[in-house]
Amino acid sequence: MSLRQFATLSVTLTDRIRNKQNNWALGGILAFIAGAVNAGGFLAGQRYTSHMTGIISGIADDLVISEIGIVLAGIAFLLSFVSGAAVTAILINWARRKHLHSEFALSLCLEAALLLVFGLLGFSLNILVEVFVPTTILVLCFVMGLQNAIMTKISKAEIRTTHMTGIVTDIGIELGRLLYWNRDHSSMPQKRVVADREKLRVHLIIFSLFLIGAIVGATSFKHFGYITTVPLAGFLILISLPPLAKDLMDLWRIRRS
């Protein structure tokens, strides 16, 4: 990729006008951030906040052993994740109705603000553990729901960034197709088993970036603490600025005319 292509990609990364390249690049960035935040959330509250399957299973287990308080906490975390996804849908649909360039950037800016809230709450975890730990987990569940919905809307459900189950499943499927031996090479092309190499490559990149993000996040939170959220939030704001700037310019022109 040339420097000019990289600059163009950076400007259009969160714009409403999309292409596959932009979607994959944004998916990789968000996967890295999700991995880092998920690792930091586990260090903060001993929970992986993007893993709704685990939270739902935990609700069932705790209900059976009559741990009602923990059940209610699990339900609150689940509802927080759902609320984050719902807020993304509201923001995107509102922005589309207003014909804004920032229909995806608005949710990313909100995510950045909430990451800073997570960082502030992290400094208070040792003061009132019973209050700040559950609040921190609630914030992170909301953030993960928010981000997962952003990428789902952008990619039309082709890419997920906050959990890797679907990504790893797709990698396995494409690897199976890649290794499959088509015995009859004279058969019609549409009947042959062929791997989607492009899809496999993209999912491997997203998986790798999530893993790298988790390693970087866990290491950073361990050594530097909750200030780690500042560069993550700052980068989200940075990539959201171009479409926000376009909307501000359009608003300024309208008011001048």
Side-chain angles (χ1 to χ4, degrees):
M1 181 183 291
S2 68
L3 185 61
R4 178 177 293 181
Q5 287 175 321
F6 179 78
T8 302
L9 178 62
S10 300
V11 170
T12 60
L13 200 58
T14 56
D15 203 274
R16 67 182 178 186
I17 301 172
R18 312 297 307 167
N19 57 42
K20 280 188 175 182
Q21 189 179 29
N22 290 344
N23 289 346
W24 294 339
L26 183 59
I29 291 168
L30 294 183
F32 177 90
I33 290 174
V37 172
N38 216 26
F42 183 79
L43 293 177
Q46 301 302 303
R47 280 183 181 267
Y48 290 115
T49 50
S50 68
H51 188 45
M52 289 300 107
T53 303
I55 287 179
I56 295 169
S57 297
I59 291 171
D61 292 339
D62 294 326
L63 186 61
V64 170
I65 61 176
S66 300
E67 292 284 354
I68 303 303
I70 301 178
V71 169
L72 293 176
I75 292 173
F77 300 150
L78 176 62
L79 292 176
S80 183
F81 186 95
V82 172
S83 298
V87 167
T88 287
I90 291 169
L91 287 174
I92 289 175
N93 287 307
W94 176 80
R96 282 178 180 171
R97 184 162 56 88
K98 298 290 185 179
H99 305 291
L100 300 179
H101 295 278
S102 56
E103 63 180 67
F104 303 117
L106 290 174
S107 295
L108 290 175
C109 284
L110 177 57
E111 179 179 351
L114 291 173
L115 285 180
L116 293 177
V117 170
F118 165 51
L120 292 174
L121 287 172
F123 288 113
S124 307
L125 289 181
N126 295 325
I127 301 174
L128 289 173
V129 176
E130 297 82 1
V131 174
F132 286 110
V133 170
T135 304
T136 299
I137 297 172
L138 281 171
V139 169
L140 290 184
C141 285
F142 186 93
V143 167
M144 291 294 99
L146 188 83
Q147 179 177 307
N148 203 41
I150 294 169
M151 207 60 229
T152 300
K153 294 284 285 184
I154 286 176
S155 68
K156 295 180 173 59
E158 290 181 358
I159 300 174
R160 297 289 197 276
T161 59
T162 62
H163 56 277
M164 291 293 105
T165 304
I167 295 289
V168 172
T169 301
D170 286 341
I171 289 172
I173 290 171
E174 296 308 326
L175 283 175
R177 289 174 174 170
L178 187 65
L179 297 172
Y180 186 82
W181 179 27
N182 292 284
R183 290 187 177 184
D184 188 2
H185 293 282
S186 63
S187 61
M188 298 178 67
Q190 61 267 32
K191 291 186 177 181
R192 297 184 64 195
V193 177
V194 180
D196 188 337
R197 293 173 183 266
E198 188 176 62
K199 182 178 180 180
L200 177 61
R201 179 175 61 84
V202 170
H203 284 331
L204 282 171
I205 290 172
I206 289 174
F207 168 79
S208 299
L209 287 171
F210 184 93
L211 178 61
I212 293 169
I215 294 170
V216 171
T219 304
S220 299
F221 276 98
K222 180 181 178 181
H223 292 287
F224 305 110
Y226 292 92
I227 198 158
T228 301
T229 59
V230 174
L232 296 176
F235 188 73
L236 285 175
I237 292 172
L238 183 65
I239 64 175
S240 301
L241 284 178
L244 288 169
K246 288 181 182 178
D247 288 334
L248 289 174
M249 288 294 292
D250 289 344
L251 181 62
W252 182 70
R253 290 193 192 97
I254 291 171
R255 290 190 172 181
R256 284 197 63 186
S257 60

